[in-house]
Amino acid sequence: MSRSVQPGRLSARRVILWAGLLLGLSLVLMAWTATRLFEADLKPEFESRSQLIGAIVREDLESALDLGLELGAIAGTEAYLDQVIAQFEEVERITLLDRAGTEVAVATRNTEAGPEPLIRPDLSADSVTHMILRRNTIIGELRIDLNPHVAETHLTDVFLDIGVIGLIAVLLSFELVIWVTAGAVGKPLDRVDTLLRQQVAGQFTHVIPPRDAGSLARIAWRLSDRAQDVAARQTAAVKRLGQAYFVDVRMPAFLFSLGTEISTAFMPIYAREAGGAEWLAGDLAATAPLVTYLLALAIIAPFGGTLTDRIAPRDLFLTCVPLTAAAMVGVGLSGGVLGIAFWHGVMALIYGVATVACLEYAIRTAPEDADAQAVGSFLFVLIAGAFCGSALGGVLADRMGPAPTFFVGAGLVFLSGLLGAGTLVRDVGKRTTASEQVSQEGHGWAVFANLRVPTLILGVAVPVNVGMSVFVWYLVPVILDDSGTRMANIGRVVMLYFLARMLGGPVASRLADGRIGRMPLLFAGMALAAVAFLSLSFWSGIYAMALSVVILGIGNAICDAPQYAEAIKLAETSDVHGARNRVLGTLRLVERLAAIAGLLACAMVVETVGYDQAVASLGWLMLAGLVVLAAGRLVPTRRAGEALKSKGDIS
């Protein structure tokens, strides 16, 4: 297959866009309908429970009155009413009045003012009234004020849970649509086009088997028959046309990311509450799994390119699948923070190898001169899986507990391996860079003589990964948990980051390969990240946190693909052998080390400086990165190959 010409991609893209639109509309309609149905069932249930609570309290009071006590002389009335309020969340206030309307006893629920609810149910009554009788004579009144926050919370939870599960279903359906469309239209059209071009050039060595022809079986059969006839006359052998495509790895990578990221929303809280050694408690315990996760990724980062050069990406990915699933089971079975951190680090070590294998598969099978789009599409798949994983994990952990959630993630990882075994192709070839064609001397480290390479890494990779790991993985869950936010809502806020990156990534990758270019997008992304952090100095609350998470996600999405595409371009134009693997390996390594350093620094100083100052410091770090990136573009520099030639290192 020619990597430069893939007409099937354009044909399949139109079908996929329409399918995505229909799926989105279906999600909105489903969420609205389900919410209205739940509200209709909620109102009578809520009011009947309130009536039942009032009847129970009235009977208890009338039992005391039957003993001859006066309404105002019953000892412990207010304590009893406080106990009722604590037992039934539907009650906001209970007031006991005598016949003249004077308050005898009052009990009120102490609730802090929370954010405005997304949905307000239409309740027909705000209070329930019961008459207090003694010998069929009204001697008082019991008034129960309902707690509308309960109904609002339940209705909002249903709406958001439907939205989360619906988005997961839409993303999964979207990936399935891409997979099916590519198999029926995209890949067959590319194969027929490639076979036609080969035969026009006089090459009759390939055929298309019927199972690879999709809806173009007849034309594929005619072309294959012609190739076999010509080859038979020339006594030449024919073989199956290569069929490695980026779409092959989309679904396995999506499920793999979904399973491994299922603990994103609750991992710091889970580790902090797991217990363990006295020296590893509190904030250090909360960050321990994240630190081992990033440390493992840092260890494996320099070796990713070497592994994919020696082992086929398909074989490497399939080897990692059962090991990853076993490590996730180990996390779920661990009883302390040290065990959780160890197995989470093992999982990360294997995860790093698997994702590098999938990324290499994507780059090798993508069209030429589309590095940003290849990286952006792959990151879209990974982030979509992480988005679904964080949202699904928050809901599952809230319903069934954190530990069993890891077993669900392990099952999803194993499923991704089964799917990858059937879709991935072992022989996808290797991409030969310009530097490997031009020069076979020098060494990869010489590429850093071009100051744009280190300033790109220090100005973008370091602050972006520090901000993402410290804020999204640590500060957001901890800050919201300390404010009383439920785990399910924490998961929903975290998932907004992945949603923003997922939706912004493909757009940014197209703009990076288009007229705007990579560098303006990098500057814009860093500026947005700074705004996201510094804005929290002026307002707070769950909605402020959610908006900042979205802005940060958009900013990071704008930086993701352009950063890697710029690094690949600088490496391939350096005339240094091995520059591409060296630059990408260093970039991945610095990303992990920066995230580790940021988490450790935050865990050590956050108790002293506070959460607000820690978030503001991330904003200033983004601005410092902008300065470094701009300095690298202003300083005159030469290609690394020219620098080596001037020293006599290469001829």
Side-chain angles (χ1 to χ4, degrees):
M1 184 199 77
S2 174
R3 293 180 63 247
S4 60
V5 181
Q6 294 188 14
R9 287 167 55 90
L10 300 177
S11 302
R13 185 179 300 166
R14 299 173 182 175
V15 178
I16 292 168
L17 290 176
W18 280 107
L21 178 62
L22 292 176
L23 288 172
L25 293 176
S26 300
L27 171 62
V28 174
L29 180 61
M30 179 188 68
W32 182 84
T33 303
T35 304
R36 297 280 74 85
L37 292 174
F38 182 81
E39 181 181 6
D41 293 336
L42 178 66
K43 290 164 53 178
E45 177 66 21
F46 188 80
E47 293 166 6
S48 63
R49 281 181 56 85
S50 302
Q51 290 284 356
L52 179 60
I53 294 170
I56 293 173
V57 176
R58 183 190 64 184
E59 290 177 3
D60 290 342
L61 292 175
E62 289 179 349
S63 297
L65 294 174
D66 290 340
L67 298 176
L69 299 175
E70 295 297 328
L71 185 61
I74 302 176
T77 302
E78 290 192 353
Y80 169 71
L81 297 181
D82 287 336
Q83 183 180 359
V84 172
I85 284 184
Q87 185 177 1
F88 299 102
E89 62 177 0
E90 296 90 344
V91 179
E92 177 73 21
R93 176 186 173 95
I94 301 177
T95 307
L96 182 61
L97 307 173
D98 60 15
R99 184 183 302 176
T102 304
E103 291 185 355
V104 176
V106 178
T108 304
R109 181 182 300 275
N110 295 322
T111 56
E112 298 180 359
E116 288 294 322
L118 296 177
I119 303 176
R120 291 185 180 275
D122 182 18
L123 300 178
S124 59
D126 295 330
S127 63
V128 176
T129 302
H130 291 269
M131 297 302 166
I132 307 298
L133 304 176
R134 184 167 62 182
R135 299 188 182 92
N136 296 325
T137 302
I138 298 177
I139 63 170
E141 178 181 310
L142 179 67
R143 182 179 302 162
I144 298 179
D145 295 327
L146 307 181
N147 184 7
H149 179 68
V150 175
E152 294 167 355
T153 300
H154 287 325
L155 194 59
T156 301
D157 284 346
V158 169
F159 177 77
L160 293 177
D161 284 347
I162 291 173
V164 168
I165 301 302
L167 279 173
I168 294 174
V170 165
L171 288 172
L172 182 58
S173 301
F174 186 70
E175 292 298 327
L176 286 173
V177 167
I178 293 176
W179 190 33
V180 172
T181 305
V185 178
K187 292 196 288 186
L189 184 57
D190 285 340
R191 295 186 187 111
V192 168
D193 180 79
T194 301
L195 199 59
L196 278 171
R197 292 176 181 274
Q198 290 180 355
Q199 294 186 5
V200 168
Q203 182 181 357
F204 297 89
T205 57
H206 291 98
V207 296
I208 302 176
R211 64 176 181 175
D212 296 338
S215 58
L216 303 178
R218 292 188 64 184
I219 187 173
W221 176 80
R222 292 293 299 272
L223 293 174
S224 299
D225 183 67
R226 182 186 180 193
Q228 289 175 335
D229 181 65
V230 174
R233 296 178 184 179
Q234 298 176 351
T235 64
V238 295
K239 58 182 179 179
R240 180 184 180 187
L241 184 65
Q243 53 174 358
Y245 297 85
F246 168 61
V247 72
D248 299 335
V249 79
R250 286 189 68 112
M251 184 60 69
F254 174 80
L255 291 176
F256 187 83
S257 177
L258 191 155
T260 53
E261 298 291 346
I262 204 167
S263 63
T264 302
F266 62 85
M267 177 56 79
I269 303 169
Y270 177 55
R272 187 171 62 179
E273 296 176 353
E278 294 183 358
W279 59 271
L280 190 61
D283 291 320
L284 287 177
T287 58
L290 301 180
V291 171
T292 56
Y293 177 90
L294 294 171
L295 183 61
L297 291 178
I299 292 173
I300 201 62
F303 307 104
T306 303
L307 288 173
T308 54
D309 283 341
R310 296 182 178 181
I311 306 174
R314 176 186 184 272
D315 297 338
L316 194 58
F317 174 73
L318 295 180
T319 302
C320 292
V321 165
L323 300 177
T324 305
M328 295 194 67
V329 172
V331 176
L333 295 177
S334 298
V337 63
L338 288 178
I340 293 172
F342 172 77
W343 285 111
H344 199 56
V346 173
M347 187 272 292
L349 193 68
I350 309 166
Y351 169 86
V353 177
T355 52
V356 169
C358 292
L359 176 60
E360 189 64 24
Y361 192 100
I363 293 176
R364 292 184 187 182
T365 57
E368 294 177 353
D369 301 324
D371 289 329
Q373 293 188 46
V375 176
S377 298
F378 176 73
L379 291 178
F380 171 87
V381 173
L382 279 190
I383 295 170
F387 161 74
C388 294
S390 64
L392 181 62
V395 174
L396 291 178
D398 198 48
R399 299 293 189 270
M400 57 190 293
T405 304
F406 287 99
F407 305 149
V408 177
L412 292 171
V413 169
F414 190 73
L415 180 62
S416 73
L418 294 178
L419 192 60
T423 60
L424 300 181
V425 178
R426 178 175 286 104
D427 185 14
V428 293
K430 292 184 179 181
R431 179 170 176 179
T432 304
T433 64
S435 60
E436 291 173 339
Q437 295 173 349
V438 174
S439 172
Q440 295 298 324
E441 300 182 27
H443 50 83
W445 290 113
V447 70
F448 292 94
N450 184 348
L451 292 181
R452 293 186 177 183
V453 176
T455 55
L456 174 69
I457 295 175
L458 295 176
V460 180
V462 171
V464 164
N465 283 273
V466 169
M468 184 270 293
S469 62
V470 172
F471 186 67
V472 178
W473 292 354
Y474 174 53
L475 289 179
V476 170
V478 172
I479 291 174
L480 292 179
D481 182 63
D482 289 347
S483 67
T485 305
R486 295 182 302 114
M487 189 174 292
N489 287 336
I490 295 175
R492 291 164 186 149
V493 173
V494 172
M495 80 176 184
L496 292 176
Y497 172 80
F498 297 107
L499 179 62
R501 285 186 66 177
M502 179 184 63
L503 297 179
V507 177
S509 62
R510 292 182 184 280
L511 294 176
D513 284 334
R515 296 182 178 179
I516 294 181
R518 294 175 289 273
M519 294 309 300
L521 290 176
L522 290 175
F523 283 107
M526 296 294 294
L528 279 178
V531 170
F533 294 129
L534 295 177
S535 64
L536 290 177
S537 301
F538 304 99
W539 65 329
S540 61
I542 186 172
Y543 291 152
M545 187 70 73
L547 181 59
S548 296
V549 166
V550 171
I551 296 175
L552 178 65
I554 296 174
N556 288 359
I558 294 176
C559 293
D560 283 335
Q563 174 189 212
Y564 273 86
E566 180 69 11
I568 292 173
K569 177 189 175 184
L570 292 173
E572 294 186 348
T573 57
S574 64
D575 292 345
V576 175
H577 177 60
R580 179 172 169 268
N581 282 342
R582 183 67 67 185
V583 169
L584 292 181
T586 304
L587 178 60
R588 298 189 191 105
L589 175 63
V590 172
E591 286 178 341
R592 312 314 180 202
L593 293 178
I596 294 172
L599 279 172
L600 290 176
C602 183
M604 289 187 292
V605 305
V606 71
E607 292 185 358
T608 303
V609 303
Y611 293 129
D612 293 339
Q613 186 62 39
V615 174
S617 299
L618 295 176
W620 293 111
L621 179 63
M622 299 301 119
L623 295 178
L626 274 175
V627 174
V628 173
L629 184 62
R633 306 301 296 184
L634 295 176
V635 175
T637 185
R638 292 182 299 171
R639 295 168 64 182
E642 296 175 359
L644 284 174
K645 288 179 181 180
S646 65
K647 295 180 181 181
D649 291 335
I650 62 176
S651 57

